[in-house]
Amino acid sequence: MNGLGTDGGGSTHNTVSSTHNTVSGDAVIVGPLLMAQHIEGIQLPPPPPDVPPSQGPMPSRVFVNRTKELADLRDAALSLAAGPEPGVVLVVGVGGVGKTQLVAQAVRRELHERFPDGQLYVDLADHRRDGAVDLAAVLGEFLRALRVHKGYVPGGLAERTALFRSVAATLRLLVKVDNVQHAPEVRALVPPQGLLVATGRRVLPSLLMDGAVLIDVAPLDGAAGTELVRRWHADADEGTAADVVRLCAGHPLALRAALEWLAARPQLTLDDVVRDLTAGRYGTGDDGVREAMGMAMGAGGGTGEGGVGEAVDSVLDSVVAGVSGHTRHLYDLLGVLPGTTATADLLTAVGATGVDEGLGELLSCRLAVLVESSDRPRRYRLHDVVRAHARLRARALPEERRRAILRLVVDFYADAAAHGDALVLGDRFRIQPPPVRPLSELAARGTLFTDRADALEWLDAERVNFRAVIRVAADEGWYEEVWRLCESLWALYHSRKHLADCVESGLLGIEAAQHQARPDVEIRMRNQVARAAYELGDLDRAESQLDAAADILGLAGDPRLSGVVQESRGLIALARGRSEESPGAARERAEEARQLFERALAANRAVPDPHGIVVQSYNVAQALVAGERWADALGVLDEAAETARTTGDEPMLPRIDLVRAHAFAGLGALDRAVAAAGAAADAAAGLKQFAKLDQALELLTALADRAEDRPLRAACEEKLGALRRTMGLRPPAAPTA
């Protein structure tokens, strides 16, 4: 066996306690057994609690008159779950008829026992833009719910799909999906084992042809609705209860809203509800409201007097008219806000008063619901049917008032995103100045977030709202706020790999920069779009954006803008080199990348930008290694490491040592390669850079294999397996004999 301590330059000894030539910093060459013991001693974080996810709306304590639908759903689910392949159930009905609650009840009563590995939930309305769902974002949320560490979640849809199927391959999962509109949305989210239950407003024939079972949820008939009303209002006269059901067209959401409103007003009776609904005294007078409400609910035709949409509209008009003035103002604000959720901080920032009391009243009237969120603030949303009603009411606001509210929303998010960016990415190059408002002024109480992890969670929880806010700012012509938001959100998009969002917002940022005649901003925006396209594997699109940015570099004053463009071009050249079949062509690509990175390095030295100097030196070394210029790479890496240590840029050190290990391996100095890879592993573990630790252990495994060092290889494989299990990646099942 060729021990790692005997391959490559430098004197060595066979005793395991000996240490030898320093490779870089604290990295030293050690004997093979000692290195194996060192790898075994690397401390990994404790694995997350092995608690199955249990996502989705909670079941209501009061639920009656859906006996047939519950039985049908239970029978379909149990039948499909017993089969060898995953199954799909499609629950269809008009908006607000109780589809989600039906599923929640079925899960609580029986189905949860059949799916011991957990329940995943998503409302596709939160991920739909221009009619299409961002399935990559949905799968990213599913992977994180299954305890896959964020550093291991890839960026592209194909990669996330493959990882989801791998992680869930042995799990009995129940996936619940609301607001499905198209069959491909369902097919992409079906777990490898278990069941997917989807709710939607129309039948999807192609899904039924795939074998999905259909459950139709209609509005309540007179008898069932009357029973429900009397469960909520025990002393209700049967005839009066029947009138309420008729006026609400048997719609559970309308019935609940009306009865919750009445419960808060003990001086009134059910007869008052009937009288108000019959008179229609709170109608908006907008002839388009009835039609729009029907469209929002997905109603395919009339049900009862005036149809379901008209009935629900009348009930909501009555309920909103009966709440307190500040709650009604809050409801109207929610109708103006872009996005789908709101926090007390946002509502306070846009001028709401009595926010806590108003939100409490909206919750008690079932007009608003609490939303699950991984970050600290409580988030609220209106049911989509209620939201459609609130937005229709907002049409009656004066245009000046509506724009003033939206401007406050945009300013709030622009400042919050800038503060979040500063916490997540630190002192990076930014075009925009720091926000004038301190972070403390953006919160109704306390602060929105306190540290890097907290800020990233807040940004991620607000992702859907950010997308809507950027669109609104672009529509209103607030171009500076558009690109400010886009620049700040790189911290979120890059960290959490929301690459489709990065492309969409970046294109709006490019238009905003052009409106403002800001070539510096346009270059920055085009580079962000290019980097997202690069990570998605769309190199042609990335290059076209960089070509357009290069055309206007002469109009921008800051040399760092040239640097970021050249860096992105260099990364693309390296990527194209990796796909070249000819070694000569690959070396040509590597040389092209080196020259581009050298230009980026010169641009950062001109400022000077210490972090940029370290990053671009590291990139130059990567290109030199790709071009098999191993010794030249080592000299560049030594200088980069020294600068990183001097300027406190420790996060770059594991990356530098990984490239150094590849350079030593290229020279045949396996002992030094192992020492450098071991240093990278140590630094990555200390910095909690688990993806880099994974790369270091993989490289060490390959080096040990190359040197026929079985103890080191075994130690690396064991540690790598433990790391991936801790990171939420399950190893493949052992093949059966």
Side-chain angles (χ1 to χ4, degrees), residues 93-95 201-202 218-219 249 251 290-291 293-312:
V94 298
R201 296 175 183 175
R202 60 189 180 91
H251 195 283
R290 302 291 190 260
E291 180 182 357
M293 283 296 295
M295 291 174 63
M297 296 171 62
T303 304
E305 288 189 7
V308 175
E310 182 176 347
V312 174

mmCIF file with all atom_site columns, all heavy atoms in Angstrom, residues 93-95 201-202 218-219 249 251 290-291 293-312:
data_model
loop_
_atom_site.group_PDB
_atom_site.id
_atom_site.type_symbol
_atom_site.label_atom_id
_atom_site.label_alt_id
_atom_site.label_comp_id
_atom_site.label_asym_id
_atom_site.label_entity_id
_atom_site.label_seq_id
_atom_site.pdbx_PDB_ins_code
_atom_site.Cartn_x
_atom_site.Cartn_y
_atom_site.Cartn_z
_atom_site.occupancy
_atom_site.B_iso_or_equiv
_atom_site.pdbx_formal_charge
_atom_site.auth_seq_id
_atom_site.auth_comp_id
_atom_site.auth_asym_id
_atom_site.auth_atom_id
_atom_site.pdbx_PDB_model_num
ATOM 1   N N   . GLY A 1 93  ? -64.569 21.423 -5.575  1.00 0.00 ? 93  GLY A N   1
ATOM 2   C CA  . GLY A 1 93  ? -65.748 22.182 -5.156  1.00 0.00 ? 93  GLY A CA  1
ATOM 3   C C   . GLY A 1 93  ? -65.473 23.666 -5.274  1.00 0.00 ? 93  GLY A C   1
ATOM 4   O O   . GLY A 1 93  ? -64.322 24.088 -5.463  1.00 0.00 ? 93  GLY A O   1
ATOM 5   N N   . VAL A 1 94  ? -66.504 24.489 -5.164  1.00 0.00 ? 94  VAL A N   1
ATOM 6   C CA  . VAL A 1 94  ? -66.337 25.930 -5.282  1.00 0.00 ? 94  VAL A CA  1
ATOM 7   C C   . VAL A 1 94  ? -65.491 26.451 -4.120  1.00 0.00 ? 94  VAL A C   1
ATOM 8   O O   . VAL A 1 94  ? -65.357 25.800 -3.080  1.00 0.00 ? 94  VAL A O   1
ATOM 9   C CB  . VAL A 1 94  ? -67.695 26.664 -5.305  1.00 0.00 ? 94  VAL A CB  1
ATOM 10  C CG1 . VAL A 1 94  ? -68.518 26.244 -6.503  1.00 0.00 ? 94  VAL A CG1 1
ATOM 11  C CG2 . VAL A 1 94  ? -68.459 26.426 -4.012  1.00 0.00 ? 94  VAL A CG2 1
ATOM 12  N N   . GLY A 1 95  ? -64.912 27.628 -4.308  1.00 0.00 ? 95  GLY A N   1
ATOM 13  C CA  . GLY A 1 95  ? -64.062 28.209 -3.279  1.00 0.00 ? 95  GLY A CA  1
ATOM 14  C C   . GLY A 1 95  ? -64.795 28.411 -1.974  1.00 0.00 ? 95  GLY A C   1
ATOM 15  O O   . GLY A 1 95  ? -65.909 28.933 -1.940  1.00 0.00 ? 95  GLY A O   1
ATOM 16  N N   . ARG A 1 201 ? -60.891 23.692 -7.782  1.00 0.00 ? 201 ARG A N   1
ATOM 17  C CA  . ARG A 1 201 ? -62.240 24.184 -8.076  1.00 0.00 ? 201 ARG A CA  1
ATOM 18  C C   . ARG A 1 201 ? -62.836 23.606 -9.340  1.00 0.00 ? 201 ARG A C   1
ATOM 19  O O   . ARG A 1 201 ? -63.949 23.940 -9.698  1.00 0.00 ? 201 ARG A O   1
ATOM 20  C CB  . ARG A 1 201 ? -62.203 25.710 -8.152  1.00 0.00 ? 201 ARG A CB  1
ATOM 21  C CG  . ARG A 1 201 ? -61.817 26.313 -6.817  1.00 0.00 ? 201 ARG A CG  1
ATOM 22  C CD  . ARG A 1 201 ? -61.659 27.801 -6.872  1.00 0.00 ? 201 ARG A CD  1
ATOM 23  N NE  . ARG A 1 201 ? -61.220 28.307 -5.582  1.00 0.00 ? 201 ARG A NE  1
ATOM 24  C CZ  . ARG A 1 201 ? -60.896 29.557 -5.343  1.00 0.00 ? 201 ARG A CZ  1
ATOM 25  N NH1 . ARG A 1 201 ? -60.941 30.446 -6.320  1.00 0.00 ? 201 ARG A NH1 1
ATOM 26  N NH2 . ARG A 1 201 ? -60.510 29.934 -4.144  1.00 0.00 ? 201 ARG A NH2 1
ATOM 27  N N   . ARG A 1 202 ? -62.072 22.758 -10.018 1.00 0.00 ? 202 ARG A N   1
ATOM 28  C CA  . ARG A 1 202 ? -62.622 22.121 -11.209 1.00 0.00 ? 202 ARG A CA  1
ATOM 29  C C   . ARG A 1 202 ? -61.991 20.757 -11.384 1.00 0.00 ? 202 ARG A C   1
ATOM 30  O O   . ARG A 1 202 ? -60.887 20.488 -10.919 1.00 0.00 ? 202 ARG A O   1
ATOM 31  C CB  . ARG A 1 202 ? -62.385 22.980 -12.443 1.00 0.00 ? 202 ARG A CB  1
ATOM 32  C CG  . ARG A 1 202 ? -60.938 23.275 -12.768 1.00 0.00 ? 202 ARG A CG  1
ATOM 33  C CD  . ARG A 1 202 ? -60.816 24.307 -13.873 1.00 0.00 ? 202 ARG A CD  1
ATOM 34  N NE  . ARG A 1 202 ? -59.434 24.615 -14.199 1.00 0.00 ? 202 ARG A NE  1
ATOM 35  C CZ  . ARG A 1 202 ? -58.725 23.976 -15.128 1.00 0.00 ? 202 ARG A CZ  1
ATOM 36  N NH1 . ARG A 1 202 ? -59.292 22.991 -15.819 1.00 0.00 ? 202 ARG A NH1 1
ATOM 37  N NH2 . ARG A 1 202 ? -57.482 24.310 -15.382 1.00 0.00 ? 202 ARG A NH2 1
ATOM 38  N N   . ALA A 1 218 ? -70.114 19.514 -2.663  1.00 0.00 ? 218 ALA A N   1
ATOM 39  C CA  . ALA A 1 218 ? -71.119 20.501 -3.043  1.00 0.00 ? 218 ALA A CA  1
ATOM 40  C C   . ALA A 1 218 ? -71.495 21.349 -1.835  1.00 0.00 ? 218 ALA A C   1
ATOM 41  O O   . ALA A 1 218 ? -71.230 20.975 -0.687  1.00 0.00 ? 218 ALA A O   1
ATOM 42  C CB  . ALA A 1 218 ? -72.353 19.792 -3.591  1.00 0.00 ? 218 ALA A CB  1
ATOM 43  N N   . PRO A 1 219 ? -72.131 22.523 -2.057  1.00 0.00 ? 219 PRO A N   1
ATOM 44  C CA  . PRO A 1 219 ? -72.674 23.276 -0.923  1.00 0.00 ? 219 PRO A CA  1
ATOM 45  C C   . PRO A 1 219 ? -73.666 22.421 -0.143  1.00 0.00 ? 219 PRO A C   1
ATOM 46  O O   . PRO A 1 219 ? -74.239 21.459 -0.661  1.00 0.00 ? 219 PRO A O   1
ATOM 47  C CB  . PRO A 1 219 ? -73.360 24.465 -1.601  1.00 0.00 ? 219 PRO A CB  1
ATOM 48  C CG  . PRO A 1 219 ? -72.639 24.630 -2.899  1.00 0.00 ? 219 PRO A CG  1
ATOM 49  C CD  . PRO A 1 219 ? -72.290 23.242 -3.338  1.00 0.00 ? 219 PRO A CD  1
ATOM 50  N N   . ALA A 1 249 ? -76.810 30.219 0.428   1.00 0.00 ? 249 ALA A N   1
ATOM 51  C CA  . ALA A 1 249 ? -76.676 29.207 -0.635  1.00 0.00 ? 249 ALA A CA  1
ATOM 52  C C   . ALA A 1 249 ? -75.963 27.955 -0.138  1.00 0.00 ? 249 ALA A C   1
ATOM 53  O O   . ALA A 1 249 ? -75.278 27.274 -0.901  1.00 0.00 ? 249 ALA A O   1
ATOM 54  C CB  . ALA A 1 249 ? -75.939 29.789 -1.836  1.00 0.00 ? 249 ALA A CB  1
ATOM 55  N N   . HIS A 1 251 ? -73.439 27.644 1.643   1.00 0.00 ? 251 HIS A N   1
ATOM 56  C CA  . HIS A 1 251 ? -71.986 27.769 1.585   1.00 0.00 ? 251 HIS A CA  1
ATOM 57  C C   . HIS A 1 251 ? -71.420 27.823 3.004   1.00 0.00 ? 251 HIS A C   1
ATOM 58  O O   . HIS A 1 251 ? -71.708 28.755 3.764   1.00 0.00 ? 251 HIS A O   1
ATOM 59  C CB  . HIS A 1 251 ? -71.608 29.033 0.821   1.00 0.00 ? 251 HIS A CB  1
ATOM 60  C CG  . HIS A 1 251 ? -70.187 29.080 0.411   1.00 0.00 ? 251 HIS A CG  1
ATOM 61  N ND1 . HIS A 1 251 ? -69.177 29.382 1.276   1.00 0.00 ? 251 HIS A ND1 1
ATOM 62  C CD2 . HIS A 1 251 ? -69.592 28.841 -0.791  1.00 0.00 ? 251 HIS A CD2 1
ATOM 63  C CE1 . HIS A 1 251 ? -68.023 29.347 0.643   1.00 0.00 ? 251 HIS A CE1 1
ATOM 64  N NE2 . HIS A 1 251 ? -68.245 29.018 -0.626  1.00 0.00 ? 251 HIS A NE2 1
ATOM 65  N N   . ARG A 1 290 ? -70.618 40.687 -8.056  1.00 0.00 ? 290 ARG A N   1
ATOM 66  C CA  . ARG A 1 290 ? -71.206 39.348 -8.084  1.00 0.00 ? 290 ARG A CA  1
ATOM 67  C C   . ARG A 1 290 ? -70.421 38.436 -9.031  1.00 0.00 ? 290 ARG A C   1
ATOM 68  O O   . ARG A 1 290 ? -70.052 37.320 -8.695  1.00 0.00 ? 290 ARG A O   1
ATOM 69  C CB  . ARG A 1 290 ? -72.665 39.422 -8.546  1.00 0.00 ? 290 ARG A CB  1
ATOM 70  C CG  . ARG A 1 290 ? -73.556 40.323 -7.684  1.00 0.00 ? 290 ARG A CG  1
ATOM 71  C CD  . ARG A 1 290 ? -73.779 39.719 -6.303  1.00 0.00 ? 290 ARG A CD  1
ATOM 72  N NE  . ARG A 1 290 ? -74.799 40.451 -5.596  1.00 0.00 ? 290 ARG A NE  1
ATOM 73  C CZ  . ARG A 1 290 ? -74.555 41.363 -4.669  1.00 0.00 ? 290 ARG A CZ  1
ATOM 74  N NH1 . ARG A 1 290 ? -73.316 41.669 -4.360  1.00 0.00 ? 290 ARG A NH1 1
ATOM 75  N NH2 . ARG A 1 290 ? -75.536 41.973 -4.050  1.00 0.00 ? 290 ARG A NH2 1
ATOM 76  N N   . GLU A 1 291 ? -70.160 38.954 -10.226 1.00 0.00 ? 291 GLU A N   1
ATOM 77  C CA  . GLU A 1 291 ? -69.452 38.148 -11.212 1.00 0.00 ? 291 GLU A CA  1
ATOM 78  C C   . GLU A 1 291 ? -68.035 37.839 -10.749 1.00 0.00 ? 291 GLU A C   1
ATOM 79  O O   . GLU A 1 291 ? -67.553 36.713 -10.857 1.00 0.00 ? 291 GLU A O   1
ATOM 80  C CB  . GLU A 1 291 ? -69.420 38.878 -12.557 1.00 0.00 ? 291 GLU A CB  1
ATOM 81  C CG  . GLU A 1 291 ? -68.687 38.091 -13.639 1.00 0.00 ? 291 GLU A CG  1
ATOM 82  C CD  . GLU A 1 291 ? -68.637 38.853 -14.948 1.00 0.00 ? 291 GLU A CD  1
ATOM 83  O OE1 . GLU A 1 291 ? -69.214 39.948 -15.027 1.00 0.00 ? 291 GLU A OE1 1
ATOM 84  O OE2 . GLU A 1 291 ? -68.012 38.346 -15.885 1.00 0.00 ? 291 GLU A OE2 1
ATOM 85  N N   . MET A 1 293 ? -66.848 37.766 -7.679  1.00 0.00 ? 293 MET A N   1
ATOM 86  C CA  . MET A 1 293 ? -66.846 36.823 -6.571  1.00 0.00 ? 293 MET A CA  1
ATOM 87  C C   . MET A 1 293 ? -67.064 35.402 -7.069  1.00 0.00 ? 293 MET A C   1
ATOM 88  O O   . MET A 1 293 ? -66.443 34.449 -6.605  1.00 0.00 ? 293 MET A O   1
ATOM 89  C CB  . MET A 1 293 ? -67.931 37.193 -5.558  1.00 0.00 ? 293 MET A CB  1
ATOM 90  C CG  . MET A 1 293 ? -67.572 38.361 -4.668  1.00 0.00 ? 293 MET A CG  1
ATOM 91  S SD  . MET A 1 293 ? -66.164 38.019 -3.605  1.00 0.00 ? 293 MET A SD  1
ATOM 92  C CE  . MET A 1 293 ? -66.849 36.728 -2.586  1.00 0.00 ? 293 MET A CE  1
ATOM 93  N N   . GLY A 1 294 ? -67.962 35.261 -8.040  1.00 0.00 ? 294 GLY A N   1
ATOM 94  C CA  . GLY A 1 294 ? -68.195 33.936 -8.601  1.00 0.00 ? 294 GLY A CA  1
ATOM 95  C C   . GLY A 1 294 ? -66.941 33.380 -9.238  1.00 0.00 ? 294 GLY A C   1
ATOM 96  O O   . GLY A 1 294 ? -66.606 32.202 -9.095  1.00 0.00 ? 294 GLY A O   1
ATOM 97  N N   . MET A 1 295 ? -66.197 34.242 -9.952  1.00 0.00 ? 295 MET A N   1
ATOM 98  C CA  . MET A 1 295 ? -64.951 33.796 -10.572 1.00 0.00 ? 295 MET A CA  1
ATOM 99  C C   . MET A 1 295 ? -63.928 33.424 -9.507  1.00 0.00 ? 295 MET A C   1
ATOM 100 O O   . MET A 1 295 ? -63.203 32.436 -9.636  1.00 0.00 ? 295 MET A O   1
ATOM 101 C CB  . MET A 1 295 ? -64.396 34.891 -11.472 1.00 0.00 ? 295 MET A CB  1
ATOM 102 C CG  . MET A 1 295 ? -65.226 35.152 -12.717 1.00 0.00 ? 295 MET A CG  1
ATOM 103 S SD  . MET A 1 295 ? -64.608 36.564 -13.651 1.00 0.00 ? 295 MET A SD  1
ATOM 104 C CE  . MET A 1 295 ? -62.986 35.967 -14.094 1.00 0.00 ? 295 MET A CE  1
ATOM 105 N N   . ALA A 1 296 ? -63.861 34.221 -8.437  1.00 0.00 ? 296 ALA A N   1
ATOM 106 C CA  . ALA A 1 296 ? -62.898 33.934 -7.377  1.00 0.00 ? 296 ALA A CA  1
ATOM 107 C C   . ALA A 1 296 ? -63.185 32.607 -6.701  1.00 0.00 ? 296 ALA A C   1
ATOM 108 O O   . ALA A 1 296 ? -62.281 31.904 -6.267  1.00 0.00 ? 296 ALA A O   1
ATOM 109 C CB  . ALA A 1 296 ? -62.908 35.052 -6.328  1.00 0.00 ? 296 ALA A CB  1
ATOM 110 N N   . MET A 1 297 ? -64.469 32.248 -6.635  1.00 0.00 ? 297 MET A N   1
ATOM 111 C CA  . MET A 1 297 ? -64.849 31.008 -5.994  1.00 0.00 ? 297 MET A CA  1
ATOM 112 C C   . MET A 1 297 ? -64.798 29.825 -6.945  1.00 0.00 ? 297 MET A C   1
ATOM 113 O O   . MET A 1 297 ? -64.899 28.674 -6.520  1.00 0.00 ? 297 MET A O   1
ATOM 114 C CB  . MET A 1 297 ? -66.256 31.125 -5.417  1.00 0.00 ? 297 MET A CB  1
ATOM 115 C CG  . MET A 1 297 ? -66.372 32.155 -4.323  1.00 0.00 ? 297 MET A CG  1
ATOM 116 S SD  . MET A 1 297 ? -68.064 32.418 -3.863  1.00 0.00 ? 297 MET A SD  1
ATOM 117 C CE  . MET A 1 297 ? -68.479 30.798 -3.270  1.00 0.00 ? 297 MET A CE  1
ATOM 118 N N   . GLY A 1 298 ? -64.686 30.103 -8.233  1.00 0.00 ? 298 GLY A N   1
ATOM 119 C CA  . GLY A 1 298 ? -64.674 29.015 -9.190  1.00 0.00 ? 298 GLY A CA  1
ATOM 120 C C   . GLY A 1 298 ? -66.054 28.422 -9.389  1.00 0.00 ? 298 GLY A C   1
ATOM 121 O O   . GLY A 1 298 ? -66.196 27.260 -9.755  1.00 0.00 ? 298 GLY A O   1
ATOM 122 N N   . ALA A 1 299 ? -67.085 29.207 -9.118  1.00 0.00 ? 299 ALA A N   1
ATOM 123 C CA  . ALA A 1 299 ? -68.436 28.680 -9.232  1.00 0.00 ? 299 ALA A CA  1
ATOM 124 C C   . ALA A 1 299 ? -68.768 28.424 -10.685 1.00 0.00 ? 299 ALA A C   1
ATOM 125 O O   . ALA A 1 299 ? -68.587 29.268 -11.533 1.00 0.00 ? 299 ALA A O   1
ATOM 126 C CB  . ALA A 1 299 ? -69.438 29.672 -8.635  1.00 0.00 ? 299 ALA A CB  1
ATOM 127 N N   . GLY A 1 300 ? -69.308 27.260 -10.968 1.00 0.00 ? 300 GLY A N   1
ATOM 128 C CA  . GLY A 1 300 ? -69.646 26.917 -12.336 1.00 0.00 ? 300 GLY A CA  1
ATOM 129 C C   . GLY A 1 300 ? -71.082 27.212 -12.665 1.00 0.00 ? 300 GLY A C   1
ATOM 130 O O   . GLY A 1 300 ? -71.543 26.933 -13.762 1.00 0.00 ? 300 GLY A O   1
ATOM 131 N N   . GLY A 1 301 ? -71.841 27.766 -11.772 1.00 0.00 ? 301 GLY A N   1
ATOM 132 C CA  . GLY A 1 301 ? -73.238 28.057 -12.043 1.00 0.00 ? 301 GLY A CA  1
ATOM 133 C C   . GLY A 1 301 ? -73.926 28.478 -10.769 1.00 0.00 ? 301 GLY A C   1
ATOM 134 O O   . GLY A 1 301 ? -73.374 28.434 -9.697  1.00 0.00 ? 301 GLY A O   1
ATOM 135 N N   . GLY A 1 302 ? -75.169 28.895 -10.874 1.00 0.00 ? 302 GLY A N   1
ATOM 136 C CA  . GLY A 1 302 ? -75.886 29.384 -9.715  1.00 0.00 ? 302 GLY A CA  1
ATOM 137 C C   . GLY A 1 302 ? -76.298 28.264 -8.790  1.00 0.00 ? 302 GLY A C   1
ATOM 138 O O   . GLY A 1 302 ? -76.551 27.142 -9.201  1.00 0.00 ? 302 GLY A O   1
ATOM 139 N N   . THR A 1 303 ? -76.369 28.555 -7.504  1.00 0.00 ? 303 THR A N   1
ATOM 140 C CA  . THR A 1 303 ? -76.845 27.620 -6.504  1.00 0.00 ? 303 THR A CA  1
ATOM 141 C C   . THR A 1 303 ? -77.709 28.408 -5.544  1.00 0.00 ? 303 THR A C   1
ATOM 142 O O   . THR A 1 303 ? -77.238 29.267 -4.831  1.00 0.00 ? 303 THR A O   1
ATOM 143 C CB  . THR A 1 303 ? -75.669 26.980 -5.732  1.00 0.00 ? 303 THR A CB  1
ATOM 144 O OG1 . THR A 1 303 ? -74.794 26.378 -6.666  1.00 0.00 ? 303 THR A OG1 1
ATOM 145 C CG2 . THR A 1 303 ? -76.151 25.948 -4.773  1.00 0.00 ? 303 THR A CG2 1
ATOM 146 N N   . GLY A 1 304 ? -79.003 28.153 -5.523  1.00 0.00 ? 304 GLY A N   1
ATOM 147 C CA  . GLY A 1 304 ? -79.883 28.925 -4.672  1.00 0.00 ? 304 GLY A CA  1
ATOM 148 C C   . GLY A 1 304 ? -80.147 30.283 -5.280  1.00 0.00 ? 304 GLY A C   1
ATOM 149 O O   . GLY A 1 304 ? -79.919 30.530 -6.452  1.00 0.00 ? 304 GLY A O   1
ATOM 150 N N   . GLU A 1 305 ? -80.659 31.230 -4.473  1.00 0.00 ? 305 GLU A N   1
ATOM 151 C CA  . GLU A 1 305 ? -81.009 32.552 -4.969  1.00 0.00 ? 305 GLU A CA  1
ATOM 152 C C   . GLU A 1 305 ? -79.763 33.331 -5.322  1.00 0.00 ? 305 GLU A C   1
ATOM 153 O O   . GLU A 1 305 ? -78.940 33.640 -4.467  1.00 0.00 ? 305 GLU A O   1
ATOM 154 C CB  . GLU A 1 305 ? -81.817 33.319 -3.902  1.00 0.00 ? 305 GLU A CB  1
ATOM 155 C CG  . GLU A 1 305 ? -83.223 32.789 -3.719  1.00 0.00 ? 305 GLU A CG  1
ATOM 156 C CD  . GLU A 1 305 ? -84.041 33.702 -2.833  1.00 0.00 ? 305 GLU A CD  1
ATOM 157 O OE1 . GLU A 1 305 ? -83.543 34.786 -2.494  1.00 0.00 ? 305 GLU A OE1 1
ATOM 158 O OE2 . GLU A 1 305 ? -85.162 33.339 -2.482  1.00 0.00 ? 305 GLU A OE2 1
ATOM 159 N N   . GLY A 1 306 ? -79.606 33.659 -6.590  1.00 0.00 ? 306 GLY A N   1
ATOM 160 C CA  . GLY A 1 306 ? -78.485 34.498 -6.998  1.00 0.00 ? 306 GLY A CA  1
ATOM 161 C C   . GLY A 1 306 ? -77.170 33.776 -7.094  1.00 0.00 ? 306 GLY A C   1
ATOM 162 O O   . GLY A 1 306 ? -76.167 34.368 -7.454  1.00 0.00 ? 306 GLY A O   1
ATOM 163 N N   . GLY A 1 307 ? -77.090 32.460 -6.778  1.00 0.00 ? 307 GLY A N   1
ATOM 164 C CA  . GLY A 1 307 ? -75.847 31.719 -6.896  1.00 0.00 ? 307 GLY A CA  1
ATOM 165 C C   . GLY A 1 307 ? -74.992 31.841 -5.646  1.00 0.00 ? 307 GLY A C   1
ATOM 166 O O   . GLY A 1 307 ? -75.194 32.694 -4.788  1.00 0.00 ? 307 GLY A O   1
ATOM 167 N N   . VAL A 1 308 ? -74.005 30.939 -5.529  1.00 0.00 ? 308 VAL A N   1
ATOM 168 C CA  . VAL A 1 308 ? -73.145 30.904 -4.351  1.00 0.00 ? 308 VAL A CA  1
ATOM 169 C C   . VAL A 1 308 ? -72.352 32.197 -4.210  1.00 0.00 ? 308 VAL A C   1
ATOM 170 O O   . VAL A 1 308 ? -72.219 32.763 -3.128  1.00 0.00 ? 308 VAL A O   1
ATOM 171 C CB  . VAL A 1 308 ? -72.204 29.682 -4.440  1.00 0.00 ? 308 VAL A CB  1
ATOM 172 C CG1 . VAL A 1 308 ? -71.225 29.686 -3.286  1.00 0.00 ? 308 VAL A CG1 1
ATOM 173 C CG2 . VAL A 1 308 ? -73.009 28.395 -4.441  1.00 0.00 ? 308 VAL A CG2 1
ATOM 174 N N   . GLY A 1 309 ? -71.793 32.693 -5.333  1.00 0.00 ? 309 GLY A N   1
ATOM 175 C CA  . GLY A 1 309 ? -70.975 33.894 -5.264  1.00 0.00 ? 309 GLY A CA  1
ATOM 176 C C   . GLY A 1 309 ? -71.743 35.071 -4.711  1.00 0.00 ? 309 GLY A C   1
ATOM 177 O O   . GLY A 1 309 ? -71.256 35.811 -3.861  1.00 0.00 ? 309 GLY A O   1
ATOM 178 N N   . GLU A 1 310 ? -72.978 35.264 -5.169  1.00 0.00 ? 310 GLU A N   1
ATOM 179 C CA  . GLU A 1 310 ? -73.784 36.385 -4.690  1.00 0.00 ? 310 GLU A CA  1
ATOM 180 C C   . GLU A 1 310 ? -74.120 36.224 -3.223  1.00 0.00 ? 310 GLU A C   1
ATOM 181 O O   . GLU A 1 310 ? -74.097 37.196 -2.454  1.00 0.00 ? 310 GLU A O   1
ATOM 182 C CB  . GLU A 1 310 ? -75.063 36.472 -5.527  1.00 0.00 ? 310 GLU A CB  1
ATOM 183 C CG  . GLU A 1 310 ? -75.949 37.642 -5.134  1.00 0.00 ? 310 GLU A CG  1
ATOM 184 C CD  . GLU A 1 310 ? -77.164 37.765 -6.039  1.00 0.00 ? 310 GLU A CD  1
ATOM 185 O OE1 . GLU A 1 310 ? -77.183 37.114 -7.095  1.00 0.00 ? 310 GLU A OE1 1
ATOM 186 O OE2 . GLU A 1 310 ? -78.081 38.512 -5.665  1.00 0.00 ? 310 GLU A OE2 1
ATOM 187 N N   . ALA A 1 311 ? -74.409 34.980 -2.802  1.00 0.00 ? 311 ALA A N   1
ATOM 188 C CA  . ALA A 1 311 ? -74.757 34.752 -1.399  1.00 0.00 ? 311 ALA A CA  1
ATOM 189 C C   . ALA A 1 311 ? -73.583 35.053 -0.485  1.00 0.00 ? 311 ALA A C   1
ATOM 190 O O   . ALA A 1 311 ? -73.723 35.729 0.539   1.00 0.00 ? 311 ALA A O   1
ATOM 191 C CB  . ALA A 1 311 ? -75.220 33.305 -1.214  1.00 0.00 ? 311 ALA A CB  1
ATOM 192 N N   . VAL A 1 312 ? -72.414 34.556 -0.838  1.00 0.00 ? 312 VAL A N   1
ATOM 193 C CA  . VAL A 1 312 ? -71.245 34.788 0.001   1.00 0.00 ? 312 VAL A CA  1
ATOM 194 C C   . VAL A 1 312 ? -70.910 36.266 0.040   1.00 0.00 ? 312 VAL A C   1
ATOM 195 O O   . VAL A 1 312 ? -70.569 36.825 1.088   1.00 0.00 ? 312 VAL A O   1
ATOM 196 C CB  . VAL A 1 312 ? -70.046 33.967 -0.517  1.00 0.00 ? 312 VAL A CB  1
ATOM 197 C CG1 . VAL A 1 312 ? -68.784 34.313 0.264   1.00 0.00 ? 312 VAL A CG1 1
ATOM 198 C CG2 . VAL A 1 312 ? -70.339 32.482 -0.400  1.00 0.00 ? 312 VAL A CG2 1
#
